[in-house]
Amino acid sequence: MGHFTELLRSLNNLKLLAAIGRSGGDLSSIADLVDNFLDSPQMADCVRRFRALPGGAELMDGRYPPLQPDIEALRQLPKGSLGQRYAELITSLGYDPEFFRPRPVRSEAQWLTQRIATTHDIHHVVSGFGTGPQGETGVLAITATQIGFPAYVLLTSAAGLASFRFQLERFEGISTAIGHGQAIARQCHCLALTRWEEGWDKPISQWRQELGINDPAEHEPYGLAAQLP
């Protein structure tokens, strides 16, 4: 029964990847892919890796709340602060402040999934990756590398393979962004562990110094600087 369940999951993953590709990154399809891994062996291993990190078990057992940002309040923070820059990004993307898919957080996998989903765009801000295809793949590579979050592992692998096979002109940029994200992941504190809400007013430069992000992607072709001057 277990093998059959995993076969069905794999088939559904392929359908969801195709839907994401056709839509250019539809958020609903990505959320479906994330949720498809909730009770998988891959997600169980991700939870294991997260709990093994210093402070991971404490954060998870305490069910530290998923992000619920007040965008208007964050916009009033000093320019260059994490909160101000994050609010600027969300506003520029035209996102509803409550665009996150609601999920229960009773299980460890549910909590970790929701925490990662709701803080993903903060990772763009602190790492400097833009939200275009290359930047998106680069920032996903950070969490994929640090804790093996299943949907992000699959998305980064698929992006590299698809560009190599079908869009060779995009392969160099995609592979470079993935490599950059993996390098950041190996050097810095685990982003999924970070309590961002306790430092909204802190400058991004200070966050990067404290986290160990010494080579942000800000000014690369796939960086956030061109998107948010």
Side-chain angles (χ1 to χ4, degrees):
M1 188 64 176
H3 290 300
F4 182 67
T5 299
E6 289 309 306
L7 176 60
L8 289 179
R9 193 192 314 277
S10 296
L11 291 173
N12 197 31
N13 284 339
L14 290 174
K15 290 193 296 182
L16 290 168
L17 283 174
I20 292 167
R22 288 194 302 269
S23 66
D26 174 65
L27 292 178
S28 179
S29 296
I30 292 174
D32 288 341
L33 180 66
V34 167
D35 286 345
N36 196 45
F37 278 107
L38 271 172
D39 61 349
S40 68
Q42 292 79 13
M43 189 63 203
D45 192 63
C46 177
V47 168
R48 177 194 63 78
R49 290 175 62 175
F50 183 87
R51 291 186 65 87
L53 293 169
E58 177 188 357
L59 201 70
M60 180 173 282
D61 291 343
R63 294 296 190 268
Y64 192 81
L67 187 72
Q68 296 178 308
D70 182 339
I71 298 299
E72 286 305 312
L74 295 180
R75 289 177 65 180
Q76 308 308 314
L77 292 174
K79 188 172 179 61
S81 65
L82 174 64
Q84 181 271 331
R85 194 70 165 168
Y86 172 76
E88 188 179 21
L89 176 61
I90 295 301
T91 302
S92 74
L93 293 171
Y95 287 169
D96 183 300
E98 298 182 7
F99 68 92
F100 309 116
R101 173 178 288 184
R103 297 179 179 89
V105 292
R106 290 184 294 272
S107 74
E108 294 177 337
Q110 289 171 335
W111 174 84
L112 184 56
T113 292
Q114 191 67 349
R115 182 67 186 171
I116 289 172
T118 58
T119 58
H120 169 74
D121 288 306
I122 300 178
H123 296 189
H124 277 283
V125 174
V126 296
S127 66
F129 282 100
T131 61
Q134 295 176 8
E136 193 64 58
T137 306
V139 79
L140 293 178
I142 298 176
T143 307
T145 300
Q146 288 189 324
I147 58 171
F149 189 61
Y152 291 4
V153 172
L154 186 57
L155 285 168
T156 53
S157 300
L161 181 59
S163 62
F164 181 71
R165 178 64 179 85
F166 302 110
Q167 296 177 306
L168 196 55
E169 71 281 1
R170 299 177 62 185
F171 176 65
E172 181 179 2
I174 291 286
S175 61
T176 300
I178 291 173
H180 195 164
Q182 291 172 333
I184 289 174
R186 288 192 294 269
Q187 296 166 2
C188 78
H189 178 78
C190 179
L191 300 190
L193 270 172
T194 306
R195 304 181 185 219
W196 310 107
E197 298 91 331
E198 299 176 11
W200 282 126
D201 58 345
K202 191 185 301 182
I204 293 170
S205 58
Q206 184 178 342
W207 270 113
R208 288 174 177 166
Q209 182 179 13
E210 293 176 359
L211 291 169
I213 300 177
N214 302 315
D215 183 25
E218 196 91 32
H219 298 291
E220 298 295 338
Y222 42 78
L224 199 56
Q227 188 174 344
L228 295 178

